[in-house]
Amino acid sequence: MTATVSRVTHPLEMPTEAEYAAVREVLVEADLLTDRVRYCFADLEEPPKAEVLAFTPGSTGRAVDRRFRVVLLDLDSGRSWDTVVSATRREVVSGRELDPAREGQPPIIDSEFEPMDDILRADARWTDALAARGIDPMTVRAVPLSAGVYDYPDEVGRRMARAFGFRQDGPDDHPWAHPIDGLVAYVDLTHRSVDRVIDQQHVAVPEVSGNFQDPAVQGPPLDSLKPIEITQPEGRSFTVEGNHVRWGKWDLRYGFNEREGLTLHQVAFDGRPIVHRASVAEMVVPYADPAPVRFWQNYFDCGEYMFARYADSLRLGCDCLGDIHYTDAVIAGDDGNPRTISKAICMHEEDYGVLWKHTDLFFTQASEVRRQRRLVISFFVPIGNYDYGFYWYLYLDGTIQLEVKATGIVFASATPGDYAAEVAPGLGAPYHQHLFCARLDMTVDGVRNAVDEVEAERVPMGEGNPYGNAFRRKVTRLASEAGAQRDNDGSVVRTWHIVNPEKRNAVGKPVGYALHPENKATLLADENSSIHARAGFSTHNLWVTPYRPDERYPAGDFVNQNPGGDGLPRWTQADRDVDGEDIVVWHTFGTTHFPRPEDWPVMPVEYTGFTLKPVGFFDANPALDVPPNPGRSCH
């Protein structure tokens, strides 16, 4: 049966099952998708920015051409293709075969990882190494991971993975607690065979429990907590039509894809544009243990794993609390068939304390207070041992914030020491970082924007500052890509102001939004390391580039086994002008994790993120019109 694709009313509408079914049919009819070919990635190919901005909702012009980018992999040969398909016109628009040695490999897929237990158990070197440790291979669960790029010439151009073993003591046992350290296998994914086994040392397998759901591990329940119920008797304050949201003065669209997860589009306040598109376009988790079996541990969860394909179906009262609007997300499975993640996106309002307040004791005796609230749009995704929540917040005063919540289980070793904390007796957890890169396609009151670096500057005591109390604001325009590669500096309260040089506020200054970073570390690996070359975006907190529709991912399109240098480092070599241009701001943020005993057996949430605050965008406090709470609410 031929899939029927309905006409969309906006180019940024979220993909549907019918569209993904149509794309699959086109690829099958073109003999590009066979029983041995799999999808590695599929997503809506969003129209260029100018086309989206020029689109008029409700227009009767030609139908929006819905194009989808699909990366295909032949499981038997390892060959791969980058294709674009029009679901509207039911045709292949373009296609080319990839050169993995030069460009990198397509992402790793479930179809390659699922047989890993059997692949390892079929290799005598692996089973002999386990036998030497007194371990039954049938109790060992393989944990296959992306291989990276190192000094193995024979791996160039081949699809590789590396695999650890963890002992599982029964079907309900979490094997993360029982790492079989000193042992790793290098696996050829195309031939489904083990290339080599590195058996470095025999280390006792930790016996501590990781079963956080076990009452014996949890201890007696904390029964003094009383229920908290969030209610909105008059209903929600926001409306959702398709993927179009209105809340207070905010107006925006949202989307979802398997690589970036949740995306925000055409974010505007009181009719004025701020951000054309916002997403977390990449993340990398580099580990610090240089051991012969662990030096290669560096994961790009977006680019190597398409991590958002594993997004949770969220549960009321657990993941989301209040009057919730859920949105399903449609993606494509490995076989190309559409797959719907129910309740993938959660949207709700929440109280956020005091918005503004003043009690005047000297003159008028006036006393006014207003409550802050925020609109929350979020999703949560488990990827291996970790779980990540991505929460976009919109506030009544025009502030935009992204908060990432990292939880789950730390990746364990059996060798605590210089590069790994001991989180339980005999159980190590290597030091590591979680580094994210937000892609912020800015449209602050229009398309032509610029970035100023703003920081505090001390003024020496002397003429004009006789008492030494003075300090002032230093403003530096970042005019080109080379000069816009910048780092946090909390000692001078450094922020970056995205301004519109063509628009002025009531005091004659350019309107703008300020990016407030957290002032945490960038990539700590040596500048000559492989991960430094491959995750170049993470070596600076700020990059600014001119908008180009094909510059979407900061580590490049094909991150898996990419030798490095792609993405931001390559694009910015041109040192293009970014002063008063259509620009994209890229912000690297994250956390450096020295695990604690308190992180075991499941880790309390660790937070990281950034804030965009209006700075001269408005002529006065934009939340003056927020009404006071009814008297019955202030008691």
Side-chain angles (χ1 to χ4, degrees):
M1 181 180 295
T2 301
T4 302
V5 177
S6 301
R7 180 166 174 161
V8 299
T9 59
H10 194 279
L12 297 179
E13 283 187 22
M14 294 174 69
T16 65
E17 290 187 350
E19 288 177 319
Y20 274 122
V23 170
R24 188 183 192 281
E25 289 170 0
V26 171
L27 290 170
V28 170
E29 291 166 3
D31 292 326
L32 292 172
L33 184 63
T34 68
D35 61 349
R36 296 302 296 163
V37 172
R38 296 290 183 271
Y39 278 37
C40 287
F41 169 70
D43 183 29
L44 177 68
E45 188 86 333
E46 296 169 13
K49 185 175 184 177
E51 288 184 25
V52 176
L53 294 176
F55 179 81
T56 303
S59 61
T60 57
R62 63 186 178 88
V64 175
D65 187 13
R66 298 277 279 183
R67 299 186 178 198
F68 288 77
R69 185 182 188 185
V70 182
V71 177
L72 300 170
L73 172 70
D74 187 311
L75 293 176
D76 294 333
S77 68
R79 295 173 65 193
S80 52
W81 297 266
D82 188 3
T83 66
V84 176
V85 175
S86 170
T88 307
R89 293 181 283 117
R90 299 186 63 87
E91 66 180 22
V92 176
V93 177
S94 65
R96 68 179 184 90
E97 185 168 354
L98 298 179
D99 179 1
R102 180 177 58 86
E103 299 178 76
Q105 291 277 0
I108 302 168
I109 56 177
D110 291 342
S111 298
E112 296 176 296
F113 273 2
E114 286 165 355
M116 194 61 65
D117 281 334
D118 293 335
I119 292 172
L120 295 186
R121 289 168 187 162
D123 189 89
R125 292 166 296 179
W126 179 261
T127 55
D128 288 349
L130 295 176
R133 291 166 167 80
I135 299 172
D136 179 359
M138 297 307 294
T139 67
V140 176
R141 302 304 305 272
V143 176
L145 300 161
S146 53
V149 178
Y150 293 93
D151 298 326
Y152 300 115
D154 58 319
E155 292 186 351
V156 174
R158 299 165 61 203
R159 285 184 70 78
M160 300 295 297
R162 314 201 196 282
F164 289 124
F166 288 76
R167 194 190 71 212
Q168 186 175 31
D169 298 339
D172 296 324
D173 182 54
H174 288 282
W176 300 110
H178 313 302
I180 302 168
D181 215 333
L183 181 66
V184 65
Y186 293 3
V187 179
D188 184 314
L189 295 174
T190 303
H191 295 100
R192 301 170 194 82
S193 63
V194 177
D195 249 28
R196 69 188 76 185
V197 171
I198 298 176
D199 188 357
Q200 177 213 1
Q201 60 176 331
H202 290 203
V203 183
V205 176
E207 298 297 337
V208 65
S209 174
N211 299 329
F212 53 85
Q213 80 283 15
D214 184 348
V217 175
Q218 294 177 345
L222 181 62
D223 57 9
S224 61
L225 299 179
K226 307 303 181 185
I228 295 177
E229 298 291 342
I230 307 297
T231 62
Q232 291 184 271
E234 298 179 20
R236 309 168 188 146
S237 306
F238 62 91
T239 62
V240 183
E241 299 176 15
N243 65 338
H244 185 195
V245 184
R246 295 182 179 91
W247 178 70
K249 295 180 181 178
W250 288 102
D251 188 297
L252 70 149
R253 290 183 179 271
Y254 61 97
F256 188 94
N257 66 76
E258 64 178 344
R259 183 164 187 165
E260 299 165 296
L262 178 62
T263 56
L264 301 187
H265 305 261
Q266 296 187 301
V267 182
F269 190 96
D270 203 16
R272 299 168 65 190
I274 301 167
V275 185
H276 179 69
R277 190 182 191 278
S279 71
V280 174
E282 191 55 84
M283 61 175 289
V284 64
V285 186
Y287 279 76
D289 192 336
V293 294
R294 293 187 179 275
F295 66 88
W296 50 268
Q297 275 191 271
N298 304 287
Y299 316 133
F300 295 79
D301 287 331
C302 300
E304 290 180 333
Y305 295 98
M306 304 290 111
F307 78 139
R309 66 176 62 159
Y310 305 109
D312 272 336
S313 293
L314 301 173
R315 294 171 294 169
L316 181 63
C318 298
D319 298 298
C320 307
L321 196 61
D323 192 340
I324 308 298
H325 176 88
Y326 292 105
T327 300
D328 298 343
V330 180
I331 61 173
D334 287 7
D335 60 1
N337 284 310
R339 180 168 70 86
T340 297
I341 305 171
S342 66
K343 299 182 177 179
I345 300 170
C346 169
M347 189 182 313
H348 67 284
E349 297 171 88
E350 60 185 28
D351 181 88
Y352 198 65
V354 172
L355 168 61
W356 57 262
K357 176 182 174 70
H358 182 60
T359 299
D360 193 301
L361 299 178
F362 296 105
F363 306 113
T364 68
Q365 286 71 56
S367 181
E368 292 280 338
V369 62
R370 299 293 187 272
R371 297 293 297 178
Q372 174 71 286
R373 68 173 70 179
R374 61 189 183 184
L375 181 68
V376 184
I377 311 175
S378 66
F379 85 106
F380 232 106
V381 57
I383 179 72
N385 54 303
Y386 267 108
D387 300 67
Y388 297 98
F390 295 83
Y391 288 69
W392 286 97
Y393 302 127
L394 305 178
Y395 294 84
L396 294 173
D397 64 353
T399 298
I400 303 170
Q401 188 176 42
L402 174 65
E403 182 176 71
V404 179
K405 304 180 181 184
T407 180
I409 303 175
V410 293
F411 200 101
S413 73
T415 51
D418 289 343
Y419 305 104
E422 188 168 16
V423 295
L427 188 70
Y431 307 145
H432 58 280
Q433 295 182 280
H434 303 262
L435 300 174
F436 306 85
C437 187
R439 180 183 183 272
L440 305 171
D441 183 354
M442 303 300 295
T443 50
V444 176
D445 235 4
V447 171
R448 297 177 68 83
N449 289 176
V451 178
D452 290 333
E453 183 169 274
V454 180
E455 57 191 31
E457 183 178 48
R458 291 182 173 88
V459 178
M461 184 181 291
E463 184 178 355
N465 182 28
Y467 301 101
N469 63 302
F471 63 91
R472 60 194 170 202
R473 200 175 74 145
K474 178 183 177 183
V475 180
T476 305
R477 174 63 53 88
L478 306 181
S480 71
E481 290 178 295
Q485 297 171 29
R486 306 294 295 163
D487 298 319
N488 299 331
D489 189 348
S491 70
V492 291
V493 205
R494 179 175 292 166
T495 58
W496 295 289
H497 292 196
I498 302 100
V499 300
N500 187 327
E502 299 175 346
K503 301 288 181 67
R504 301 279 166 167
N505 56 27
V507 295
K509 302 296 184 183
V511 299
Y513 258 74
L515 171 58
H516 289 258
E518 285 187 322
N519 295 307
K520 295 180 181 178
T522 53
L523 184 70
L524 294 173
D526 189 90
E527 63 181 17
N528 294 311
S529 64
S530 171
I531 191 59
H532 190 281
R534 300 181 64 229
F537 72 87
S538 66
T539 62
H540 295 293
N541 295 110
L542 184 82
W543 306 71
V544 184
T545 62
Y547 168 81
R548 298 291 184 272
D550 58 343
E551 294 181 2
R552 283 275 302 275
Y553 309 113
D557 280 16
F558 299 100
V559 181
N560 185 27
Q561 293 181 254
N562 187 303
D566 272 354
L568 283 167
R570 177 158 295 157
W571 305 332
T572 56
Q573 286 177 2
D575 196 19
R576 297 167 292 187
D577 184 16
V578 292
D579 186 359
E581 303 291 336
D582 184 358
I583 62 172
V584 177
V585 173
W586 309 76
H587 177 45
T588 300
F589 64 98
T591 183
T592 300
H593 193 185
F594 297 103
R596 314 162 296 157
E598 292 87 348
D599 291 331
W600 188 261
V602 63
M603 175 181 141
V605 164
E606 176 122 353
Y607 300 90
T608 187
F610 63 90
T611 302
L612 287 166
K613 292 182 72 71
V615 55
F617 189 79
F618 305 107
D619 292 336
N621 181 347
L624 289 173
D625 57 355
V626 174
N629 278 15
R632 58 183 169 83
S633 299
C634 293
H635 61 80

